[in-house]
Amino acid sequence: MITKKLLTAFLFLLFYYQNTKAQTYEKKIDSLILTGFGNQNEPGGAFLVSKNGKTIYRKAFGKANLELDANMTPDHVFQIGSMTKQFTAVAILMLEQQGKLNVGDAISKYIKDYPSGDKITIHHLLTHTSGIKDFTKMKSLSTIAQKEMKPEMMVDFFKNEPVDFAPGEKFDYNNSGYVVLGYIIELVSGQNYEDFIKKNIFEKAGMSHSYYATDRQLIPKRAYGYHQKDHGFVNKTVISFSVPFSSGSLMSTVDDMLKWQQALNRNILLNTAETKKAFQKYKLNSGEEFTYGYGWHLKDINGTPDREHGGSIFGFKSMGVYIPSEDIYVIGFSNCDCHSPTEITRNIAKITLQSVKK
């Protein structure tokens, strides 16, 4: 009887401790997010934390639509901006896995008339080391921002600009490189980028609430994007999504992004060898190593290696952090480019890492 009572008491204390620990963790994350998303009458955000594939925190803050006074929920769909680059990079590796291209290929193999295309490789585009002009830094961008651009037209828009440096000479974050990659995906696969991502990634990973961005199609539970001006909030600037294209035009939910991370972990999309290519550091021509793989920054949190990437597009910001050694994934979305989830998401990852190591 004593043994049974002791066991019951022990289990009760264990449950109480775990429950208290979970509540303390939740309060910590809540208060951290509220430092940036504290006004519930403003555009807000959604955040999710998972450990070993299981969701341990999932909440939304603020408004999904100011005009309708609609509260944000964790189910809302956000534009993810440059987190799109992860999907473009994996699509390229999927095509390599199928034997349809090689990351060492010169881009002139696919785009014959690309200036110095025989010196620029797919690898250079993936790692932001190509030196080609970033179209987002071109003054003439406003002339095409609302035009419907075919991928070939987008490439033509920047390909004849003077290069910033020789391929492989330095790392310089570059949207143009990922637009070229999207065009190569279309040329090699025979599918348009939107269809390729939908059929080969979204459907395989079970990401049923992820899309190629559109302002025309009805998107269930769409979060509306905003800018903040001196006089208050305004609806986001309208652009043609054919301009950011494969460098920044996807939409998703926090739950779907967890499915994305799980698909990568379980080799649902890529084999181990191809997956490794995305998450390893590479070197410049000088031999200097830089902290970017294929579509992910490779950094660390207090010395623990992580993979991370953010995104910013008119009206939206996003950030994702994955810690492989502990299988911790943190994703944060904002529907105003005035509220950045970047540091908050990194700090959530830091707190989560500390809590599992206690």
Side-chain angles (χ1 to χ4, degrees), residues 16 36 65 94 130 259 309:
Y16 179 78
N65 187 303
M94 289 174 94
S130 68
K259 288 178 181 177
H309 214 288

Side-chain angles (χ1 to χ4, degrees), residues 126-173:
L126 287 163
T127 55
H128 303 284
T129 57
S130 68
I132 63 178
K133 182 65 68 181
D134 188 338
F135 73 88
T136 63
K137 295 173 184 170
M138 291 169 60
K139 288 180 181 175
S140 52
L141 178 60
S142 59
T143 63
I144 63 159
Q146 294 174 333
K147 288 183 181 175
E148 195 57 37
M149 303 285 285
K150 290 179 180 174
E152 188 177 3
M153 292 164 68
M154 271 308 298
V155 172
D156 286 346
F157 176 68
F158 57 74
K159 74 178 184 186
N160 293 310
E161 292 290 312
V163 296
D164 292 329
F165 51 86
E169 201 173 277
K170 63 190 239 185
F171 169 86
D172 192 14
Y173 190 82

Side-chain angles (χ1 to χ4, degrees), residues 263-327:
L264 293 168
N265 289 355
R266 294 170 181 164
N267 297 115
I268 289 167
L269 306 170
L270 294 172
N271 62 31
T272 307
E274 291 294 335
T275 302
K276 190 181 174 186
K277 288 185 181 182
F279 303 129
Q280 70 182 66
K281 293 176 184 175
Y282 294 97
K283 291 179 179 178
L284 300 172
N285 298 340
S286 64
E288 180 191 348
E289 191 177 70
F290 57 97
T291 57
Y292 198 94
Y294 291 170
W296 277 266
H297 293 279
L298 305 172
K299 298 187 179 180
D300 70 88
I301 292 175
N302 294 343
T304 302
D306 77 347
R307 305 164 185 166
E308 57 185 70
H309 214 288
S312 183
I313 193 165
F314 289 133
F316 295 90
K317 284 187 182 288
S318 62
M319 183 64 178
V321 176
Y322 182 64
I323 303 172
S325 62
E326 301 291 342
D327 194 8

